Amino acid sequence: MTNWYYGHSSDVRKKPMSPKLTLIALLVAGLSAGCAVGPDYVRPDTPLPGRFQGQAAVDQRTTKASAELATWWAGFGDPQLTHFVTLALAQNLDLAQASARVTQARAGLGAANAALLPSGTVSGQAARAYQSVETPLGQVLNSTPGFDRYGNAYEANLGASWELDAFGGLRRGREAALAEYRASEAGAVATRLAVAAQTADIYISIRGLQARLDVARRQERTQQELLATIKLLYGKGLAPELQVRQAEGALAQVRASIPALEAGLEVAMNALDVMLGTAPGTHRAELNDSADIPVAPQIAATGSPGDLLRRRPDLIVAERRLAASNARIGVAIAEYYPKLSLSGLVGSATTVSSGNLFTTGANQASGMLGLRWRLFDFGRINAQIEQAKGQEAEMLAAYRLAVLRAAEDVENALLTLVKREAQTAELTQGVDSLGRARGASFAAYQRGVVSLIEVLLADENLLRVTDARAQAQTESARAAVAAFRALGGGWQPSGLDAVASK
């Protein structure tokens, strides 16, 4: 054990320091060193490839519009889509909750900062009492000449206390609170991006359902015409009953699809209203008129997988929670060591009159160095340390898993976008071919070469492929939204970089 001495360097014999001076010397040394027990946080390595697998295919896409990641929804070229996303970012109640969580975390950080500083109290009291003369004390006082049974007491004090963070437990607690605050900030950004993406996804789904519903109603009319024609021929004995029943079944199938599409459309419109923070039905009139399905724009810059660590706020949340769990290990380890505190009081007290307060004779003062040590509680402290280490290991695994899933989200979204657009292109070609076939059959019908049934069957084939194309267009646009969300689109570089660097 190290011995501390005092005295001049020229002293021949040096005396050991008293226990009180030893404690003070240790305290000063600990505070001056500024060290804190527990492991210092080091951001974990997350090896990722330098390029997304689907990046080359995405770069080869040819679209008329291009979208910046910060405001990707504007790249779809749909003013109503932009309007709804802007409304959602201003009114969504999930965002209001996220903002409230940031406020709570900021308050927790303020409490952790305050724990490092001295605290002061001001107290005062004035009392008047009437002394009993039947108690032992009263009997003694009553025998004193000039005893007055009424008594007054006045006191005013200024107190201060300070827990000295000699071993850094409070500083580690502040690190944890700061990391949680940064995580809440990034969480609010993540909620913002999710709200924008969900709003756009719902809007695109609405436009897709409206397009499909329009196709289904056209199919219904075509099937009705086909059934009427076949029934007419059947009545003249020119068509078998089998054709009648087949046409009736096809008409029933088309009609059955319409209620399902209408229900899906109603549900989507209600969901959009809730995303906008309004009651279902509020914006229904704005969506009654059908519009084209938004076309996915070109992604201006996908970046690299490593960029996701700065770009995606949900990864920043996971990383900051890891930092907080690391700091809590130090908080737990600090319980091994004694807690030191300083407290003092300066005031004035008198039992004569309030006018005597703050006079020389009424002044009072005290000071105290406190020590609290969980000396026989090390088993519980060990358990708390192991628990903190377990939480840190859990947060580390959660962070690494979040990174992998983020990369997976991007890869899946890019792949889906490219494949859905390829499907849309093929179906568009099919619509063009079937459109020409329908025109040829109608011209042949006008010349009397084919029957009306042939024309109606051509219409049916054309509408069926048109419905498939509408689905593919919808999924292409939704895949683009998923890609922008997976890439962290909608972020503000300065804000997220500031959070990520803390």
Side-chain angles (χ1 to χ4, degrees):
M1 181 177 180
T2 304
N3 291 320
W4 292 78
Y5 297 91
Y6 72 93
H8 195 271
S9 60
S10 61
D11 291 344
V12 176
R13 184 176 63 185
K14 298 182 179 179
K15 300 178 181 179
M17 296 178 64
S18 66
K20 180 168 69 175
L21 292 178
T22 301
L23 181 61
I24 294 175
L26 287 171
L27 174 62
V28 172
L31 290 175
S32 62
C35 61
V37 296
D40 292 328
Y41 176 70
V42 178
R43 185 172 297 178
D45 291 331
T46 51
L48 291 170
R51 185 178 175 85
F52 292 113
Q53 295 182 19
Q55 188 168 346
V58 170
D59 291 341
Q60 294 174 0
R61 294 172 60 239
T62 56
T63 58
K64 296 180 180 179
S66 179
E68 298 295 333
L69 283 178
T71 55
W72 54 264
W73 48 86
F76 284 86
D78 189 323
Q80 202 162 28
L81 171 60
T82 302
H83 169 68
F84 284 133
V85 171
T86 304
L87 274 182
L89 295 178
Q91 301 175 174
N92 183 266
L93 296 179
D94 287 327
L95 281 175
Q97 294 181 62
S99 178
R101 287 192 290 268
V102 173
T103 301
Q104 296 172 48
R106 186 184 298 115
L109 176 60
N113 286 330
L116 291 166
L117 303 174
S119 62
T121 58
V122 176
S123 62
Q125 62 179 7
R128 181 172 177 81
Y130 185 70
Q131 178 65 49
S132 169
V133 296
E134 298 299 329
T135 63
L137 176 61
Q139 291 174 0
V140 172
L141 294 175
N142 192 35
S143 63
T144 304
F147 169 66
D148 185 1
R149 296 179 68 181
Y150 287 96
N152 300 321
Y154 305 94
E155 187 172 3
N157 297 306
L158 173 62
S161 63
W162 184 19
E163 181 176 341
L164 303 174
D165 192 29
F167 301 99
L170 294 178
R171 277 170 283 163
R172 291 300 190 191
R174 182 188 179 278
E175 286 180 21
L178 178 59
E180 290 290 355
Y181 171 58
R182 297 302 185 191
S184 69
E185 285 187 316
V189 178
T191 303
R192 181 179 184 275
L193 305 191
V195 166
Q198 290 173 13
T199 303
D201 185 81
I202 294 171
Y203 175 81
I204 291 169
S205 298
I206 289 173
R207 293 311 186 194
L209 286 168
Q210 287 176 332
R212 294 191 61 201
L213 193 57
D214 179 66
V215 171
R217 286 169 177 159
R218 287 160 56 193
Q219 282 181 314
E220 181 185 23
R221 290 194 297 269
T222 299
Q223 289 292 341
Q224 285 176 334
E225 293 176 8
L226 178 60
L227 177 59
T229 302
I230 293 176
K231 280 185 175 181
L232 180 62
L233 295 175
Y234 173 71
K236 295 180 180 179
L238 300 177
E241 183 180 0
L242 174 63
Q243 289 187 354
V244 176
R245 303 307 172 214
Q246 288 176 335
E248 289 176 343
L251 176 59
Q253 183 178 7
V254 171
R255 283 177 172 172
S257 68
I258 292 177
L261 292 173
E262 289 176 337
L265 181 59
E266 293 291 323
V267 169
M269 287 184 173
N270 291 338
L272 181 61
D273 283 324
V274 173
M275 288 298 299
L276 301 179
T278 58
T282 304
H283 299 88
R284 186 68 52 87
E286 300 176 50
L287 296 166
N288 282 338
D289 295 333
S290 299
D292 293 336
I293 301 171
V295 178
Q298 185 74 27
I299 301 175
T302 59
S304 67
D307 293 334
L308 293 179
L309 302 181
R310 294 180 297 102
R311 221 180 238 171
R312 282 192 44 148
D314 59 326
L315 298 186
I316 297 175
V317 171
E319 189 272 333
R320 287 292 83 199
R321 286 177 176 167
L322 173 61
S325 65
N326 180 84
R328 292 193 185 99
I329 297 177
V331 174
I333 292 176
E335 292 298 311
Y336 273 136
Y337 302 94
K339 300 291 188 294
L340 304 173
S341 62
L342 293 175
S343 61
L345 180 143
V346 177
S348 182
T350 181
T351 58
V352 180
S353 69
S354 60
N356 290 348
L357 280 175
F358 308 112
T359 61
T360 303
N363 290 342
Q364 61 182 6
S366 67
M368 182 177 65
L369 174 63
L371 171 66
R372 180 178 62 85
W373 197 354
R374 296 172 60 181
L375 192 58
F376 300 104
D377 201 19
F378 287 162
R380 187 173 300 176
I381 294 173
N382 288 337
Q384 292 172 346
I385 293 173
E386 290 303 315
Q387 182 182 26
K389 289 181 177 179
Q391 291 174 346
E392 193 266 348
E394 179 186 1
M395 291 297 102
L396 177 59
Y399 172 66
R400 287 175 172 167
L401 180 60
V403 172
L404 295 179
R405 285 181 172 169
E408 179 190 21
D409 288 346
V410 175
E411 295 288 4
N412 291 343
L414 296 181
L415 174 66
T416 303
L417 173 60
V418 172
K419 297 303 181 181
R420 285 293 187 180
E421 287 186 336
Q423 180 188 26
T424 302
E426 292 294 335
L427 289 171
T428 299
Q429 183 177 354
V431 169
D432 292 339
S433 298
L434 290 174
R436 290 194 294 270
R438 193 271 178 193
S441 64
F442 184 73
Y445 167 72
Q446 288 180 320
R447 296 194 303 269
V449 177
V450 298
S451 67
L452 181 60
I453 294 178
E454 298 294 333
V455 178
L456 294 174
L457 288 174
D459 281 337
E460 181 187 358
N461 292 333
L462 175 60
L463 291 172
R464 185 169 56 251
V465 177
T466 302
D467 177 70
R469 183 181 65 174
Q471 294 183 59
Q473 288 175 328
T474 302
E475 294 305 318
S476 296
R478 295 182 65 192
V481 172
F484 285 120
R485 179 178 180 176
L487 291 168
W491 55 288
Q492 298 298 327
S494 59
L496 276 185
D497 287 348
V499 174
S501 63
K502 297 296 184 180

